[in-house]
Each structure stands twice: as structure tokens, then as C-alpha cells.
Amino acid sequence: MKKISDLVQESDWKTEKHVPVIDFPKTLQKDKMFEISVEVGKEIAHPNTTEHHICWASLYFLPEGEKFPYQVGHYEFSAHGASVEGPNTSSVYTNHRLSVWNKTRKAGKLFAVSLCNIHGLWQSSKEIEFSS
Ligand code: FE2
């Protein structure tokens, strides 16, 4: 019996357009707000059409030594060119990038998960460490 974790794919974001890429400033301080972005297709653009697009992305943080992650961001990329005229007839397309501001006193690991409507679930992770 498969678990959902068996269905989430991982790869190198520089060669695979579905991987959500997590970015934040190189230097972080404890308890100070900082911006975290998650972008799908950072190196190789992912399509954004009515037929093929990124539906959503979520960001979780697992503080060091804790058992459960916190969801720190989620965004639904809702507009993909559809209108009453049909697929790809509007000029409205939501780009698949989210940005959140966050602070923490603990180091830990960020996990991003995103969904392509035809290529499934993708994830990546990145460690958060403090400079002092
Ligand atoms: Fe896709």
C-alpha cells in the first residue's frame, strides 16, 4: 500500500522544472523577520496554461529537535488563462511563486511542496541556520 510520501517526487531544481525552490537571505538572525520565497521553475520555466500549470505550493518549517512541522505558507495559484471564451483566452495568469515573512528562534529545516496539475507532487528542503 502506497503512502502519500511515496508519491512526492524530488530532483535537482536546475534540471527539473517542477521542483519548488526555497530562497531566503544568506545571513539570518534569531527572532528577526526574514523573507522566504518558493518558486517553481526557477531555472527552467514551467508552463502556465489552462491545460498545464502549478496549482499550489506550501511551505513548512520543522524546528530543530521538534517532532511536528509548522505550515508557514500556502498559496493557490488560481488563474491560468481560462475565461468564458474557453481555455487560454484570458490575459490573467497567476505566476507560481510565493513569498512569506517569518521569524524563529530555532534553526531547522524548511520543506516546500507543490502540485502540477498533470505531473503530480514535488518537494524540496533547505536548512535554516543562524549567523550568530
Ligand atoms: Fe508540469
Side-chain angles (χ1 to χ4, degrees), residues 24 28-32 34 36 60-70 72 102-110 126-132:
F24 49 78
L28 302 176
Q29 293 180 312
K30 288 182 182 178
D31 244 0
K32 297 278 187 200
F34 61 98
I36 306 166
Y60 300 88
F61 180 61
L62 180 63
E64 221 168 53
E66 295 193 22
K67 185 175 179 183
F68 302 112
Y70 297 87
V72 295
N102 194 63
K103 69 176 183 176
T104 175
R105 277 190 294 278
K106 288 185 175 179
K109 196 169 192 176
L110 286 164
K126 194 169 184 179
E127 297 280 347
I128 283 189
E129 294 169 353
F130 297 106
S131 52
S132 56

Side-chain angles (χ1 to χ4, degrees), residues 18 46 52 116 119:
H18 288 93
H46 185 278
H52 186 192
C116 169
H119 297 114

Side-chain angles (χ1 to χ4, degrees), residues 49-80:
T49 64
T50 306
E51 297 86 359
H52 186 192
H53 55 262
I54 303 301
C55 303
W56 54 258
S58 271
L59 183 65
Y60 300 88
F61 180 61
L62 180 63
E64 221 168 53
E66 295 193 22
K67 185 175 179 183
F68 302 112
Y70 297 87
Q71 185 178 40
V72 295
H74 178 84
Y75 199 87
E76 298 277 341
F77 308 115
S78 305
H80 305 284

